[in-house]
Amino acid sequence: MALTENCRTYQTPKDSGCAQSCSGDVVELNVGGQVYYTRHATLTSVPNSLLGKLFSAKKDVSNDLAQDIKGRIFIDRDGFLFRYVLDYLRDKSVVLPDYFPEKGRLKREAEFFQLPELVKILTVDENIHGDFDEASQGSDQRFYLDARDR
């Protein structure tokens, strides 16, 4: 069964005649207990990613995904870190606090979701910040990392 048949979608009144796979649809996800609302187009913005494949309209992909008790698609991954995955899918960039101890875990999430450009950004980010970790602790500075600059 295709994922688009499994997921709860919301449409604005002007999109009410639109099919579920329409780019204006809002999809409700439960990722590790954290609820997210995002557009179908965001989830499919990187077609070869795991989310792109799962949410594609192609019928040849078999999707037997779990749902929570409210009918939301349940993804058993880190709900806190998924926000950065969604940010990347939206903008092809990610903004992290300069002292972000979860970079290794976020990189693992990017690998799981098959986002090689995000993995590359986080690998470069590790190399950039390696020499500056001590100096950056306690700073409010943010680093902007963009896949389009690669």
Side-chain angles (χ1 to χ4, degrees):
M1 135 177 27
L3 182 63
T4 54
E5 295 169 4
N6 265 349
C7 63
R8 181 181 297 176
T9 59
Y10 300 90
Q11 299 170 355
T12 60
K14 69 178 185 171
D15 292 334
S16 59
C18 196
Q20 277 192 359
S21 62
C22 179
S23 63
D25 287 349
V26 175
V27 179
E28 187 175 3
L29 301 170
N30 175 342
V31 183
Q34 186 74 31
V35 175
Y36 288 93
Y37 296 88
T38 191
R39 295 178 69 145
H40 182 267
T42 299
L43 295 171
T44 58
S45 67
V46 179
N48 290 327
S49 70
L50 179 62
L51 292 169
K53 293 171 189 171
L54 291 176
F55 282 88
S56 75
K58 294 181 181 176
K59 300 291 182 191
D60 57 31
V61 178
S62 174
N63 297 313
D64 186 26
L65 295 178
Q67 293 183 346
D68 69 9
I69 59 173
K70 294 191 176 182
R72 297 176 287 229
I73 298 300
F74 180 76
I75 301 173
D76 192 16
R77 299 302 294 183
D78 189 306
F80 171 75
L81 295 175
F82 189 71
R83 69 197 297 186
Y84 298 105
V85 172
L86 276 180
D87 285 346
Y88 174 77
L89 291 173
R90 290 179 184 118
D91 304 324
K92 304 305 178 271
S93 63
V94 65
V95 178
L96 301 174
D98 64 344
Y99 181 70
F100 184 71
E102 305 287 342
K103 287 178 197 161
R105 294 181 66 207
L106 179 56
K107 184 177 171 185
R108 187 173 59 210
E109 294 299 299
E111 290 167 347
F112 174 82
F113 287 110
Q114 301 170 14
L115 296 165
E117 289 299 316
L118 179 55
V119 171
K120 198 180 303 183
I121 288 170
L122 294 168
T123 301
V124 168
D125 184 46
E126 285 174 357
N127 294 337
I128 291 171
H129 291 99
D131 296 335
F132 300 108
D133 277 345
E134 288 181 23
S136 67
Q137 290 183 13
S139 169
D140 285 338
Q141 182 180 2
R142 305 281 190 251
F143 290 91
Y144 179 79
L145 303 166
D146 194 331
R148 293 172 287 212
D149 293 335
R150 309 276 172 255

